[in-house]
Amino acid sequence: MSLVPHAAIQKAIITQFDIFEVYRDFEKYFEKQKNPKIFMFFITLITIASNQQQTKIFFNILQMSYRYDVCEKTIKLWLKELERLELVSFSYKNKQLYFLEILDYKQSKPYKSLILEQQTQDLESAPRPTRFYKNVAQILREIQKSFSDKTFEIDGEQYNLQTPLKRDKRKFVSLDFQNKTDCQFFTTLTYEHLTNQSLPPINNPYHLRIIKSNLKKHLELLSS
């Protein structure tokens, strides 16, 4: 049993109801969902809680429908969606009054999703370890052996896939191709250029498998 009084817990959550902070953290999430009205509805509920200095609040559904120029059914759907996202917990209704509790938004699904996305972006922008490029180099050598008898059409020209140099220290993932007509001419395609995708983050346990699979799939599309 918690030794912290419920009122103290509520007060701790209320201190997080900085409207600007909530707006900043969730704007991108709801923008992606293309539902700005449900976002503003949530901000309204947060504002009510902040003004009343408590997490348990109520609102008049008819007045709320007037405010957003939607029917009451839409307000109910918004409420269910906010519950699904673990932003609110519906308690009960009494005629037109709807009673609910505002939850700690930093424990909600959208917030956790945004944190994970930011962590992934940080990993993607961080320098990848040397061992990663050594592992990829081995994959590229295996791919070259598999496609050694293939011809690739790039910009209307015919190319063969070159064997990667064992001591190649380049810090990007790419494949080199030799022109079949002019053996002195080479071209390089990066992973991003060839697959139209970014490299998977290294915290994905299958990132090497994904890289290999994507390269082989797109090489097949270029080959004849």
Coordinates of all heavy atoms in Angstrom, one line a residue, residues 7 16 49 51 67 84 90 96 134 146-147 151 158 161 194:
A7 N -3.9 12.8 -2.4 CA -3.9 14.2 -2.7 C -2.5 14.7 -3.1 O -2.4 15.5 -4.0 CB -4.4 15.0 -1.5
Q16 N 2.7 18.9 -13.5 CA 3.1 18.7 -14.8 C 2.2 19.3 -15.9 O 2.5 19.2 -17.0 CB 3.2 17.1 -15.0 CG 4.2 16.5 -14.1 CD 4.2 15.0 -14.3 OE1 3.7 14.5 -15.3 NE2 4.7 14.2 -13.4
A49 N -8.3 20.9 -15.7 CA -7.6 20.3 -14.5 C -6.6 21.3 -13.9 O -6.4 21.4 -12.7 CB -6.8 19.0 -15.0
N51 N -6.7 24.6 -14.0 CA -7.5 25.7 -13.3 C -8.0 25.2 -12.0 O -8.1 26.0 -11.0 CB -8.6 26.2 -14.2 CG -8.0 27.0 -15.4 OD1 -6.9 27.4 -15.4 ND2 -8.8 27.1 -16.5
R67 N -18.7 24.1 -28.4 CA -17.3 24.7 -28.5 C -16.6 24.2 -29.7 O -15.9 25.1 -30.4 CB -16.5 24.3 -27.2 CG -15.1 24.9 -27.2 CD -14.5 24.7 -25.9 NE -13.1 25.3 -25.9 CZ -12.5 25.7 -24.8 NH1 -13.2 25.6 -23.6 NH2 -11.3 26.2 -24.8
R84 N -7.8 5.3 -24.9 CA -7.0 4.3 -25.5 C -5.5 4.7 -25.5 O -4.6 3.9 -25.3 CB -7.4 4.1 -27.0 CG -6.7 3.0 -27.7 CD -7.0 3.0 -29.2 NE -6.4 4.1 -29.9 CZ -5.1 4.2 -30.3 NH1 -4.3 3.2 -30.0 NH2 -4.7 5.3 -30.9
F90 N -12.0 7.6 -18.0 CA -13.4 7.9 -17.9 C -13.9 7.3 -16.6 O -13.7 6.1 -16.4 CB -14.2 7.5 -19.1 CG -15.7 7.8 -19.0 CD1 -16.2 9.0 -18.9 CD2 -16.5 6.7 -18.8 CE1 -17.5 9.3 -18.8 CE2 -17.9 6.9 -18.7 CZ -18.4 8.2 -18.7
Q96 N -25.8 15.2 -18.7 CA -24.8 15.8 -19.6 C -23.4 16.0 -19.1 O -22.5 16.4 -19.8 CB -25.4 17.1 -20.1 CG -26.7 17.0 -20.9 CD -27.1 18.4 -21.4 OE1 -26.7 19.4 -20.9 NE2 -27.9 18.4 -22.5
K134 N 32.5 -3.1 -40.4 CA 33.2 -4.4 -40.7 C 32.2 -5.5 -41.0 O 32.4 -6.3 -41.9 CB 34.1 -4.8 -39.5 CG 35.3 -3.9 -39.3 CD 36.2 -4.3 -38.2 CE 37.5 -3.4 -38.0 NZ 38.3 -3.9 -36.9
S146 N 27.2 -13.5 -54.8 CA 25.9 -13.9 -55.2 C 25.5 -13.3 -56.5 O 24.7 -13.9 -57.3 CB 24.8 -13.6 -54.2 OG 25.1 -14.2 -52.9
F147 N 26.0 -12.1 -56.8 CA 25.6 -11.3 -58.0 C 26.7 -11.2 -59.0 O 26.6 -10.3 -59.9 CB 25.0 -10.0 -57.6 CG 23.7 -10.0 -56.9 CD1 23.6 -10.2 -55.6 CD2 22.5 -9.8 -57.7 CE1 22.3 -10.2 -54.9 CE2 21.3 -9.8 -57.1 CZ 21.2 -10.1 -55.7
T151 N 24.3 -8.6 -64.6 CA 24.5 -7.3 -65.2 C 23.5 -6.3 -64.7 O 22.3 -6.7 -64.6 CB 24.4 -7.4 -66.7 OG1 25.5 -8.2 -67.2 CG2 24.6 -6.0 -67.4
Q158 N 25.3 -0.4 -68.8 CA 25.5 -1.8 -68.2 C 26.7 -1.8 -67.3 O 27.8 -1.4 -67.6 CB 25.6 -2.8 -69.3 CG 24.5 -2.8 -70.3 CD 23.2 -3.3 -69.7 OE1 23.1 -4.3 -69.0 NE2 22.1 -2.5 -69.9
L161 N 28.9 -5.7 -60.7 CA 29.1 -5.4 -59.3 C 30.6 -5.7 -58.9 O 31.1 -6.8 -59.2 CB 28.2 -6.2 -58.4 CG 28.2 -5.9 -56.9 CD1 27.9 -4.4 -56.7 CD2 27.2 -6.8 -56.2
L194 N 20.2 3.4 -53.3 CA 19.8 2.2 -53.9 C 18.4 1.7 -53.4 O 17.6 1.2 -54.2 CB 20.8 1.1 -53.7 CG 20.5 -0.3 -54.3 CD1 20.5 -0.3 -55.8 CD2 21.6 -1.3 -53.9

